[in-house]
C-alpha cells in the first residue's frame, strides 16, 4: 500500500478539518465557491464528484452486468430498501428528533428521498463490494429517482403529514431538474468509464487495461474524494462552526438513519443468501443518499441560506465519516459470510494492482 492509501481515514479527517478551517478563516470563500453552480450545486463539488467517480466506473466489467440484472435476491431488496423503507425511516426520524424545527425537518426528509447514485461507488469499492452490482443498483436508483422523487416528496411532505395531522410542506421540483442532476452526476462519469474500458480493451486488450491503465487512473478517485470533502466543508464552514447546536440536532437523526439502514441492509443481504460483495453493495447503496440532488432541490425551493439547505449540506458532512467507518465494519464482518469475497488488509486494498480506490 502507498502512504496515502495506508492512512485513508486520516486524510479524510484532515480534509474535513481543512475545509472547516478554510470556510471559517477565509472571508467570502463559501460564497465564492457557491457562485458557479450546476443544478444548484457548486461547480467545484460537481468536478470533484466526476473525478472521484470516473476511475471506479472505469473498473467495472460491463460484460458482467447481465448476471447482476437477473439476481432477484439483490434487486428486489434494493428497491424495497431504497424506495420504501429508506424514505419512511427518514420521515419518522425527522419528526421524532426535530418536531420543533420545521426547516431542518423538511431538509432531512428531502435527503431521505434522494437515493444515492454517486459517492456510494467509492464506499462500495473501499469495502470490496461488487462493482458490477453497484453499477446496476445506482443506475436503477437513477431511473427511479427521475420518476419517483417528486411523487415521494409530495407524499411525505404534504399527504402523509396531512393524514397524521402534522404540519404540511410543499415541494416544487420538476422531473426535468431531477433528470438533469442524474445526467450530470451519474450519466457523465458512467459514460466516460464505459467508453474508457471499451476503447482501452479494444486497443490494447484486457490485461493491459487492468494492469497498466487502471493503476494510473485509480488514485484520482481518492484525490477527487478528498477535494470534494474539502469543498463541501468549506462551503458551510462558517455556518457549521457558528451554529454547532443546530448541526448536532440535524446530525443525531442522520447518525441513527445511517446505522439502521446499513446494518439492517447488511443483515438482510446475509439472510437472503447474498455473498459478502453483494451484501456489502446492498448495504452501502441503501444507506447512502444523493446529497447533490438534495442540496440542489433545497436551494432551488427554499433558498441557499434556508434551514432546509443547511440540513442538506449537513447530510454529507455526517455521511462521509460515518460511511468510511462502516467500510471498516464491513471488512471486519466478512468472517460471518461463507464467501468473504476479495481479501483485503485495509479498506484501500482492491484486487487490481496498485490502483487502490
Amino acid at each position: 500500500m502507498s502512504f496515502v492509501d495506508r492512512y485513508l481515514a486520516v486524510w479524510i479527517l484532515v480534509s474535513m478539518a481543512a475545509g472547516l478551517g478554510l470556510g471559517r478563516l477565509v472571508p467570502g470563500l463559501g460564497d465564492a465557491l457557491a457562485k458557479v453552480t450546476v443544478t444548484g450545486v457548486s461547480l467545484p463539488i460537481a468536478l470533484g464528484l466526476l473525478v472521484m467517480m470516473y476511475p471506479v466506473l472505469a473498473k467495472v466489467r460491463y460484460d458482467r452486468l447481465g448476471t447482476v440484472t437477473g439476481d432477484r435476491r439483490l434487486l428486489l431488496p434494493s428497491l424495497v430498501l431504497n424506495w420504501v423503507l429508506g424514505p419512511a425511516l427518514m420521515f419518522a426520524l425527522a419528526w421524532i428528533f426535530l418536531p420543533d424545527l420545521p426547516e431542518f425537518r423538511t431538509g432531512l426528509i428531502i435527503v431521505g428521498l434522494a437515493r444515492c447514485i454517486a459517492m456510494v461507488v467509492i464506499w462500495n469499492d473501499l469495502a470490496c463490494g461488487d462493482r458490477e452490482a453497484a453499477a446496476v443498483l445506482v443506475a436503477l436508483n437513477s431511473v427511479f429517482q427521475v420518476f419517483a422523487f417528486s411523487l415521494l416528496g409530495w407524499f411525505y411532505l404534504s399527504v402523509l403529514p396531512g393524514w397524521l395531522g402534522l404540519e404540511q410542506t410543499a415541494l416544487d421540483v420538476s422531473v426535468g431538474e431531477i433528470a438533469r442532476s442524474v445526467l450530470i452526476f451519474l450519466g457523465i462519469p458512467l459514460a466516460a468509464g464505459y467508453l474508457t474500458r471499451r476503447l482501452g480493451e479494444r486497443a490494447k486488450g484486457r490485461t493491459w487495461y487492468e494492469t497498466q491503465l487502471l493503476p494510473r487512473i485509480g488514485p484520482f478517485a481518492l484525490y477527487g474524494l478528498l477535494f470534494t470533502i474539502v469543498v463541501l466543508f468549506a462551503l458551510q464552514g462558517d455556518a457549521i462552526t457558528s451554529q454547532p447546536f443546530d448541526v448536532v440536532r440535524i446530525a443525531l437523526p442522520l447518525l441513527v438513519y445511517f446505522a439502521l439502514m446499513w446494518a439492517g441492509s447488511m443483515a438482510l443481504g446475509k439472510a437472503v443468501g447474498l455473498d459478502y460483495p453483494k451484501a456489502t453493495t446492498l448495504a452501502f447503496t441503501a444507506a447512502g443518499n444523493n446529497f447533490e440532488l438534495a442540496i440542489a432541490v433545497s436551494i432551488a425551493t427554499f433558498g441557499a441560506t434556508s434551514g432546509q439547505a443547511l440540513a442538506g449540506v449537513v447530510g454529507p458532512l455526517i455521511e462521509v465519516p460515518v460511511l468510511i467507518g462502516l467500510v471498516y465494519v464491513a471488512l471486519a464482518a466478512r468472517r460471518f459470510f461463507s464467501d468473504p469475497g476479495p481479501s483485503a488488509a485495509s479498506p484501500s486494498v482492491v484486487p487490481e494492482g496498485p490502483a487502490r480506490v
Side-chain angles (χ1 to χ4, degrees), residues 208-346:
W208 173 87
Y209 181 84
E210 295 191 347
T211 61
Q212 299 296 320
L213 182 60
L214 286 183
R216 294 177 184 175
I217 65 175
F220 285 94
L222 175 57
Y223 306 150
L225 171 64
L226 297 180
F227 174 79
T228 303
I229 292 171
V230 171
V231 174
L232 274 171
F233 278 71
L235 274 168
Q236 292 290 332
D238 185 63
I240 292 167
T241 53
S242 62
Q243 304 176 57
F245 294 109
D246 288 342
V247 172
V248 170
R249 290 286 304 271
I250 297 169
L252 287 175
L254 285 168
L255 287 170
V256 175
Y257 172 84
F258 292 133
L260 290 178
M261 285 298 294
W262 188 90
S265 301
M266 197 75 166
L268 177 61
K270 179 173 174 55
V272 299
L274 296 178
D275 58 15
Y276 169 80
K278 287 186 178 178
T280 298
T281 300
L282 178 67
F284 280 101
T285 52
N289 294 96
N290 183 356
F291 67 83
E292 308 92 338
L293 177 60
I295 293 172
V297 169
S298 294
I299 290 175
T301 305
F302 304 103
T305 60
S306 65
Q308 291 88 343
L310 178 60
V313 171
V314 172
L317 305 190
I318 302 303
E319 178 177 336
V320 168
V322 169
L323 291 192
I324 191 61
L326 289 174
V327 167
Y328 287 92
V329 175
L331 291 171
R334 285 182 302 173
R335 64 181 183 274
F336 298 111
F337 289 80
S338 57
D339 179 3
S343 61
S346 82

Side-chain angles (χ1 to χ4, degrees), residues 82-84 87 109 112-115 144 147-159 171:
N82 275 288
W83 298 103
V84 179
I109 293 172
L113 299 178
R115 311 312 301 168
F144 270 78
F147 296 103
F149 183 88
S150 296
L151 180 62
L152 288 174
W154 168 72
F155 177 76
Y156 279 105
L157 293 175
S158 182
V159 176
L171 182 65

Side-chain angles (χ1 to χ4, degrees), residues 73-88:
R73 293 179 304 170
L74 175 66
L75 297 184
L76 292 180
S78 178
L79 288 175
V80 172
L81 287 166
N82 275 288
W83 298 103
V84 179
L85 295 182

Side-chain angles (χ1 to χ4, degrees), residues 12-82:
I12 289 178
L13 292 174
V14 169
S15 298
M16 292 163 59
L20 281 176
L22 287 171
R24 182 69 177 178
L25 299 175
V26 180
L29 178 61
D31 293 336
L33 289 173
K35 281 184 178 178
V36 183
T37 62
V38 178
T39 66
V41 177
S42 166
L43 182 58
I45 292 179
L47 293 176
L49 288 169
L50 296 180
V51 172
M52 177 191 74
M53 293 178 64
Y54 163 65
V56 180
L57 291 172
K59 293 178 183 179
V60 173
R61 291 189 176 180
Y62 293 92
D63 54 348
R64 294 180 178 176
L65 296 185
T67 61
V68 178
T69 56
D71 191 347
R72 293 185 178 181
R73 293 179 304 170
L74 175 66
L75 297 184
L76 292 180
S78 178
L79 288 175
V80 172
L81 287 166
N82 275 288

Side-chain angles (χ1 to χ4, degrees), residues 94-172:
W95 274 99
I96 291 170
F97 283 88
L98 303 170
D100 58 328
L101 297 171
E103 291 189 358
F104 296 160
R105 184 178 64 238
T106 298
L108 275 186
I109 293 172
I110 293 172
V111 170
L113 299 178
R115 311 312 301 168
C116 196
I117 63 171
M119 198 172 279
V120 68
V121 297
I122 287 287
W123 313 132
N124 179 74
D125 214 45
L126 291 172
C128 297
D130 189 313
R131 290 191 190 123
E132 288 69 39
V136 169
L137 293 185
V138 297
L140 191 63
N141 274 348
S142 71
V143 172
F144 270 78
Q145 204 153 96
V146 170
F147 296 103
F149 183 88
S150 296
L151 180 62
L152 288 174
W154 168 72
F155 177 76
Y156 279 105
L157 293 175
S158 182
V159 176
L160 184 56
W163 290 348
L164 299 175
L166 303 173
E167 182 180 348
Q168 298 170 282
T169 305
L171 182 65
D172 183 18

